[in-house]
Amino acid sequence: MTDITTHSLHDLGVADLARQLAGRQVSAVEAAQHFLARARSHQHLGAFVSVNEEATLAQARAQDAAIAAGTAGPLAGVPIAHKDIFVTRDFPSTAGSKMLAGYRSPFDATVVTRLADAGAVTLGKLNCDEFAMGSANENSAVAPVGFDAPQPVRNPWDTARVPGGSSGGSAVAVAARLAPAVTGTDTGGSIRQPASFCGITGIKPTYGRASRYGMIAFASSLDQAGPMARSAEDCALLLSALCGPDLDRDSTSLDVPAEDFSAKLNDSIDGLRIGIPAEFFGEGLAPDVRAAVDGALKEYEKLGARLVPITLPRTELSIPVYYIIAPAEASSNLSRFDGVKFGHRAQDYTDLVDMYKKTRAEGFGDEVKRRIMIGAYVLSHGYYDAYYLQAQKIRRMIADDFQNAFKDCDVIAGPVAPTVAWKLGEHGNDPLADYLADIFTLPASLAGLPGMSVPAGFGDGGMPVGLQLIGNYFQESRLLNAAHRLQQATDFHLRAPGGL
């Protein structure tokens, strides 16, 4: 008999739960049922947009059989949930948009397949900003489970605040203990920023490490999948399963073999050089965020790491560069949603062009339309050279700034966002306020570098603050090692919102 009851299953991380499942102290079916029940009892948070209990329990039964037969994978029976930007056969795939309402994919995304091959059991799909465009998860056009109309996702630490975006539903599911781990995507910070706002751990790997096949595209040169969980140890387990080449199906996939990201978690970080960019600690950084980040950096010094001042001189340019390149790619990627072959189609139209116009006007939300229009403008004749080409040149300079910095340090550390999570509706109809919140996450995205958010403390209102760690290309293991050692010395990642 086990001393683990189903009442405490949600307090276990991926690593601990995987051990309990492998030892048959709890069954995959029991774990799935427990988390499905938690999702039902916390519907007010708006995290899930679809569940399919029959499909989930069928997967769980298959994993129980694999465990009994000795053929189970490393994540056998561990319940997870997927951001609704990954296509799935057993659940609708909407990307948070009316344009794909009710869409069922005939295949699974590679990330979904690889985690299933490792034994993970899918609980459902998670809310996100429409087509992953947003920093607050207030742009979803899909009704969450338990609601009849679209609702903003609510931060479990304070339900009057945003959870961050676009992977807000993913971050909330982990923070509220509705799933031990989830998938997210990061285009300009959409794993790191919601992880910071919700007090969990999330990592965006080097661009091309994780397959984009079956990930509904926003900006193809920036989108990257990654795991979100309670701890660096849990993220390492998931990242090991979902990374690896997918050359036949994804032209942006790198021919770099998967690796065991858990292997170096416990290595010493004595002598680790942590670069501190001056540009990340200037005007605009809230004092409460600065205090939490400074506290985490002091912990690193106690562990033997050395803080090294560095400069990333083009940090401020990352916002205009990103908001030229990403909308340009979005306008191209979203041109496929025209009402012809799949997705929403207008009911009343006169001819083909009228159908296109009405379908896209009805199907896309305001933020998506805004980015399509910006993208079409910067790619248009006469403006391509002045905007898009210049942005790409500066993007290369931003990447070069990082390479210069890495000559003097091993990892770079700083805040994830300038403030803690803001109140729902606080930014109103001012999209620029949301865009500015991405100032610290955009540079690594533009450079294609791995980055992660690690719980570092709490700021005003008791809201979580994340420490951002950025590594050089293919240095995920080093980032995870640094994060894990910090989490062995602190307990911020173990704390849960009250009332759960």
Side-chain angles (χ1 to χ4, degrees):
M1 294 292 292
T2 176
D3 59 354
I4 297 291
T5 69
T6 54
H7 296 295
S8 60
L9 282 178
H10 55 271
D11 292 322
L12 298 176
V14 174
D16 290 332
L17 185 53
R19 284 190 281 269
Q20 295 288 343
L21 287 157
R24 301 174 75 177
Q25 293 170 280
V26 64
S27 73
V29 168
E30 288 171 332
Q33 289 172 331
H34 178 75
F35 282 100
L36 286 169
R38 279 193 66 78
R40 284 194 297 272
S41 64
H42 292 78
Q43 289 180 358
H44 65 285
L45 296 173
F48 280 85
V49 290
S50 64
V51 292
N52 181 343
E53 189 166 323
E54 185 178 334
T56 298
L57 294 179
Q59 291 180 26
R61 285 190 290 271
Q63 291 307 315
D64 278 333
I67 291 168
T71 58
L75 299 175
V78 174
I80 64 168
H82 294 291
K83 181 177 180 178
D84 196 22
I85 209 81
F86 296 98
V87 300
T88 46
R89 283 177 298 188
D90 292 333
F91 304 85
S93 302
T94 70
S97 179
K98 289 180 186 175
M99 189 62 84
L100 284 171
Y103 173 68
R104 302 295 286 245
S105 170
F107 65 95
D108 286 331
T110 296
V111 163
V112 173
T113 299
R114 286 187 171 160
L115 287 167
D117 289 346
V121 172
T122 301
L123 294 168
K125 303 293 284 294
L126 297 163
N127 212 335
C128 61
D129 283 307
E130 185 178 4
F131 288 103
M133 298 182 192
S135 300
N137 221 139
E138 293 180 293
N139 295 335
S140 176
V142 175
V145 174
F147 291 88
D148 296 326
Q151 300 287 328
V153 183
R154 297 179 180 273
N155 193 315
W157 292 91
D158 178 353
T159 55
R161 295 181 188 254
V162 301
S166 61
S167 306
S170 296
V172 167
V174 175
R177 309 303 194 251
L178 311 185
V182 298
T183 56
T185 61
D186 193 308
T187 305
S190 290
I191 285 174
R192 290 162 288 161
Q193 188 243 37
S196 175
F197 283 4
C198 293
I200 66 167
T201 306
I203 182 167
K204 175 193 89 74
T206 302
Y207 178 79
R209 273 277 211 182
S211 174
R212 290 178 47 253
Y213 180 74
M215 195 167 86
I216 298 168
F218 162 17
S220 300
S221 74
L222 294 157
D223 297 344
Q224 192 61 189
M228 304 168 76
R230 303 252 294 278
S231 69
E233 181 183 17
D234 291 350
C235 283
L237 288 169
L238 269 80
L239 197 63
S240 300
L242 66 84
C243 281
D246 191 19
L247 306 180
D248 293 338
R249 297 185 295 185
D250 175 12
S251 63
T252 62
S253 177
L254 296 172
D255 192 7
V256 177
E259 62 181 270
D260 179 4
F261 294 108
S262 302
K264 298 181 179 179
L265 284 180
N266 292 303
D267 286 3
S268 170
I269 59 168
D270 188 39
L272 182 76
R273 299 172 302 164
I274 300 178
I276 309 299
E279 294 79 7
F280 282 25
F281 290 87
E283 187 180 350
L285 179 61
D288 58 322
V289 174
R290 168 115 198 205
V293 170
D294 285 345
L297 295 175
K298 285 186 175 68
E299 288 293 336
Y300 273 121
E301 288 186 301
K302 291 178 189 175
L303 293 167
R306 184 160 54 90
L307 306 186
V308 179
I310 61 167
T311 182
L312 296 171
R314 295 176 179 86
T315 295
E316 282 192 6
L317 293 176
S318 63
I319 291 179
V321 167
Y322 177 86
Y323 283 102
I324 289 171
I325 294 173
E329 296 183 10
S331 71
S332 176
N333 278 323
L334 270 60
S335 64
R336 72 193 66 174
F337 299 102
D338 55 13
V340 175
K341 290 188 175 180
F342 59 87
H344 174 73
R345 178 186 290 184
Q347 293 295 311
D348 184 22
Y349 52 87
T350 56
D351 57 24
L352 186 63
V353 173
D354 190 44
M355 187 198 77
Y356 288 158
K357 290 179 179 178
K358 288 180 177 175
T359 292
R360 291 168 68 81
E362 294 169 5
F364 290 137
D366 289 346
E367 182 60 30
V368 174
K369 289 175 184 174
R370 183 181 293 115
R371 298 197 194 194
I372 290 172
M373 290 171 69
I374 292 169
Y377 177 80
V378 301
L379 291 176
S380 62
H381 181 69
Y383 296 102
Y384 178 90
D385 288 351
Y387 293 105
Y388 184 74
L389 199 59
Q390 290 298 107
Q392 290 288 18
K393 289 177 180 177
I394 298 171
R395 181 183 192 176
R396 168 49 57 193
M397 294 177 185
I398 290 170
D400 289 342
D401 286 345
F402 276 106
Q403 292 311 305
N404 287 330
F406 281 124
K407 292 174 183 176
D408 299 318
C409 64
D410 303 308
V411 299
I412 294 170
V416 174
T419 66
V420 295
W422 54 88
K423 297 282 188 179
L424 286 162
E426 184 177 322
H427 289 175
N429 294 317
D430 181 11
L432 191 58
D434 280 2
Y435 299 171
L436 292 171
D438 297 334
I439 180 70
F440 302 134
T441 55
L442 291 177
S445 291
L446 289 165
L449 294 166
M452 66 185 298
S453 176
V454 188
F458 296 87
D460 290 351
M463 296 304 294
V465 174
L467 173 75
Q468 181 174 204
L469 297 175
I470 301 168
N472 211 342
Y473 301 112
F474 310 115
Q475 293 294 309
E476 291 86 359
S477 288
R478 176 172 274 168
L479 289 184
L480 289 160
N481 165 231
H484 181 63
R485 296 314 298 260
L486 179 65
Q487 291 179 340
Q488 288 178 317
T490 61
D491 70 347
F492 301 123
H493 64 294
L494 299 176
R495 300 189 194 179
L500 296 176

